[in-house]
Amino acid sequence: MTRTRGRPARVWGGGAGHRFYSVVVFVLLASLDNVAIGLVPPLYGAIAESFAVPQRLLGLVTAVSFLVSAVAAVGWAYIGDRTNRKPLLMIGTLIWAAGTGGSALAGNYPTFLVAQLLAAIGLGAVGSVGFSVVTDLISPRRRGLVMSFWGLSQGAGTLAGTLVGGLLGAVDWRRPFLLLTVVGLAATAAYLFTYDIRRGQSEPELADAMAAGAEYDYRISRADLPAVLRRRTNRWLILQGLTAQAAFGSLVWLPVLFAERARDQGYSSATAIVVGSVFATLFQLGGVLSIVGGLVGDALQRRTPSGRALVAAVGILAAVPFYLVLFFVPIRIDVPDGAGTGAVVRAVLGSVVSEPTVGLSLLTALLALALTSANSPNWFALIADANPPEHRGTVYSLGNLVNGVGRAAGNGLVGVAFHALRAAFPPPLNYAVGLAAFQLFFIPTGIMYWLAARSSPKDLAEVRHLLHTRAEKL
């Protein structure tokens, strides 16, 4: 840890409206991060056909992009924990916008791959540096609730990417990438007017000193990294991502499962893509209930320092049976083949009430996603609670790196599993069996959260004591 000295306290302009605007910008950028991730899977078939390559190579693009983004995030976060974070976010956003635009203009598979990897490098800044900034706006008592909105924006971004990719890209797969490029450039402009958020300003232990004009000028250094990893709660929060994201990463194939079910019932490829995207979007709406997971985590955390980790452990483990049911419940798809996108969407929405199997599938999906969504806000909040302000971006990025490895493995290996299972289980059954098998990775995830519940009381107390000591020095 290093501390800068001799700088005068800065003037931190911005009233309540300016702060609200800043939060909205950061949350929207978190969602755009995941729009970019969710955009490609619904278009695997169309892009593969355009470039004359197998679909599994498009799955490889997504898997490698996850990994590159996670590796880049470590570097972005470490620099962000040492310097001014606002310029980094702007640069990162411009890089991923350039990569997304390049994806739209790609004329062959290698060019598309390079453009997606460029976008992934920029995306690494949005999540890691943005997380560090947002935690400095949230008091510990409300971290679960507010971080549920942060996580919800990411889930909403994935849904939006799935929906925009399937609907706007059904005829021309390049159009969604062009649209997202324009949105990314607009977001960069929006950054120019955001509030300059003080590092550590949300910590109760530092409140009096900072109100008196002191500046929290501690910064991370390489010497801090061993201490970061020695903290047991950090280790469990980082490692759980390997198995959790193997399961979550496989779920990007959900639109493909439902598209294959539509093809199996005789629908054309264009109609099947729309059907798969709309069904996958509907079935992921349970993520909205992450707000409940955040509220429950806040409430239980006020009663016991193990609260957040216990909520995440129970939610993850309880969701597994619901996922298994979701993939195997047969659904009857009744939509006008070859009709316009609007007509297909209306037919899919109507089937929720007219077709009992569709309604049952939707209910099962809502329950599964509601339970697993307790993971996200409590994971974010625990990282903030268990680390001083100047470590949070780096710890988040290390967790995100492991998440990226897990998600890349889940996304890539499940594609291989689908291909291998095809001999024994014809489509779409091979997709259902493969997805069901990968949800079993949630079991070790739940166990690691239980272990974090045992270590967190001691680690949280040490961080509060450290901040008290620093407040006295400030």
Side-chain angles (χ1 to χ4, degrees), residues 96-381:
W96 78 250
T100 302
S103 301
L105 301 175
N108 51 52
Y109 176 79
T111 306
F112 181 81
L113 173 62
V114 170
Q116 283 286 289
L117 296 184
L118 178 64
I121 291 171
L123 286 172
V126 177
S128 59
V129 182
F131 170 80
S132 173
V133 172
V134 171
T135 57
D136 284 327
L137 278 171
I138 308 164
S139 70
R141 287 178 59 83
R142 294 292 179 223
R143 277 194 178 130
L145 174 61
V146 179
M147 296 315 292
S148 71
F149 286 104
W150 174 265
L152 182 59
S153 73
Q154 297 182 337
T158 302
L159 289 179
T162 300
L163 195 59
V164 170
L167 300 186
L168 192 60
V171 177
D172 180 1
W173 65 264
R174 299 177 189 272
R175 290 190 297 180
F177 292 93
L178 292 172
L179 175 63
L180 189 59
T181 301
V182 173
V183 174
L185 294 175
T188 305
Y191 270 142
L192 292 172
F193 307 101
T194 55
Y195 168 61
D196 197 3
I197 298 164
R198 301 174 72 183
R199 200 183 307 268
Q201 71 179 44
S202 66
E203 303 305 319
E205 294 83 2
L206 302 173
D208 290 341
M210 298 186 77
E215 180 182 352
Y216 186 83
D217 51 7
Y218 291 87
R219 300 293 182 266
I220 195 171
S221 69
R222 282 178 291 180
D224 292 349
L225 297 179
V228 166
L229 295 176
R230 279 197 301 269
R231 193 169 292 126
R232 287 196 300 163
T233 303
N234 282 345
R235 292 205 299 268
W236 295 125
L237 292 176
I238 291 170
L239 289 174
Q240 63 81 33
L242 191 63
T243 52
Q245 295 301 323
F248 283 127
S250 70
L251 291 175
V252 301
W253 287 82
L254 203 57
V256 179
L257 168 64
F258 291 106
E260 287 296 325
R261 285 184 172 180
R263 289 190 185 95
D264 188 56
Q265 295 181 31
Y267 289 96
S268 64
S269 178
T271 300
I273 289 175
V274 176
V275 168
S277 297
V278 177
F279 269 121
T281 301
L282 283 175
F283 291 168
Q284 293 183 61
L285 290 177
V288 173
L289 295 176
S290 66
I291 296 172
V292 177
L295 284 169
V296 173
D298 281 342
L300 196 57
Q301 188 71 19
R302 288 193 287 269
R303 301 184 64 179
T304 168
S306 300
R308 298 194 197 284
L310 289 173
V311 170
V314 171
I316 287 287
L317 294 173
V320 173
F322 292 102
Y323 275 116
L324 299 183
V325 171
L326 168 64
F327 302 136
F328 291 104
V329 170
I331 60 173
R332 181 176 178 272
I333 300 169
D334 186 11
V335 299
D337 192 22
T341 298
V344 175
V345 171
R346 287 191 296 272
V348 171
L349 294 176
S351 69
V352 173
V353 293
S354 64
E355 293 291 338
T357 56
V358 174
L360 176 60
S361 293
L362 178 60
L363 178 61
T364 303
L366 290 176
L367 289 171
L369 286 156
L371 289 166
T372 51
S373 67
N375 168 35
S376 175
N378 290 293
W379 185 75
F380 290 133

